Amino acid sequence: RNAFGEIHHGADDNASGTAGILELARIASENRASLKRSVLLMGFSGEELGLLGSNHFVTNPTIELDNAVAMINLDMIGRLENDRVFVGGIGTSPGFKDLIEGFNESVGLTLDYSESGNGSSDHTSFNIKKIPVLFFFSGLHGDYHRPSDTSDKINAEGARKVLQLAYQMIDY
């Protein structure tokens, strides 16, 4: 509130999830022939104004939502501490927890879970439509929504591990 007029870099809260989507798109395109299903990667705007972008998509989809297997949300994945990541929505599909834990054996993250598919991020719009969701999140921090959310504080290796786990979920 006291930073009006200052640049809010948004390195974690904006850029880390967006960079993650771009990296998953790069890897998926390189492995396109071996993917077991179609993958749609997208970013949404207007999340903090009421999930505007994701709600618009599920209300006006460009694909048949009945064909959607899951929605994986990467929101603030850049500030892992002690290789600990929160995975929300684990209860929205009966196989998610076993899959995540199996894939995580090769990644080595400490996983904190929530069964719920609701929250204050874009996965909620999909959960409302009964599409299984997973929400990867490295947690809030003192730089949230402040000019001090800068790239020098990003844990790139931690984000890479989150993406490794997320990609395995995409490609199972």
Side-chain angles (χ1 to χ4, degrees):
R1 295 171 192 240
N2 295 329
F4 182 77
E6 293 182 49
I7 294 172
H8 286 64
H9 302 277
D12 190 28
D13 182 28
N14 288 329
S16 66
T18 302
I21 292 168
L22 293 172
E23 181 62 5
L24 289 178
R26 183 189 67 78
I27 295 167
S29 68
E30 289 175 358
N31 298 296
R32 184 178 185 153
S34 66
L35 289 172
K36 297 170 184 73
R37 65 182 50 86
S38 297
V39 175
L40 179 60
L41 295 147
M42 65 179 65
F44 300 108
S45 63
E47 177 217 41
E48 292 174 353
L49 297 173
L51 308 178
L52 299 181
S54 58
N55 186 53
H56 179 80
F57 178 80
V58 299
T59 305
N60 306 281
T62 58
I63 61 166
E64 291 292 327
L65 290 182
D66 290 342
N67 295 330
V69 174
M71 188 278 199
I72 297 175
N73 186 12
L74 308 170
D75 189 0
M76 292 180 60
I77 60 165
R79 300 280 288 264
L80 260 67
E81 291 185 22
N82 302 315
D83 279 341
R84 180 175 295 277
V85 66
F86 172 81
V87 183
I90 205 79
T92 62
S93 178
F96 275 170
K97 189 168 185 182
D98 288 341
L99 283 169
I100 286 278
E101 288 181 349
F103 293 144
N104 190 47
E105 289 177 14
S106 65
V107 179
L109 292 169
T110 301
L111 306 175
D112 293 327
Y113 299 113
S114 170
E115 297 274 326
S116 175
N118 291 323
S120 58
S121 192
D122 290 306
H123 60 282
T124 299
S125 298
F126 290 79
N127 187 57
I128 289 169
K129 296 288 187 176
K130 305 295 185 212
I131 297 169
V133 298
L134 286 174
F135 171 49
F136 292 91
F137 178 66
S138 62
L140 292 174
H141 47 73
D143 299 310
Y144 179 66
H145 285 182
R146 289 184 165 54
S148 54
D149 184 7
T150 54
S151 63
D152 58 305
K153 297 173 184 164
I154 296 296
N155 176 350
E157 178 59 20
R160 185 194 64 77
K161 289 180 177 182
V162 171
L163 294 176
Q164 185 179 357
L165 187 57
Y167 185 79
Q168 290 181 81
M169 288 301 294
I170 288 171
D171 194 33
Y172 82 90

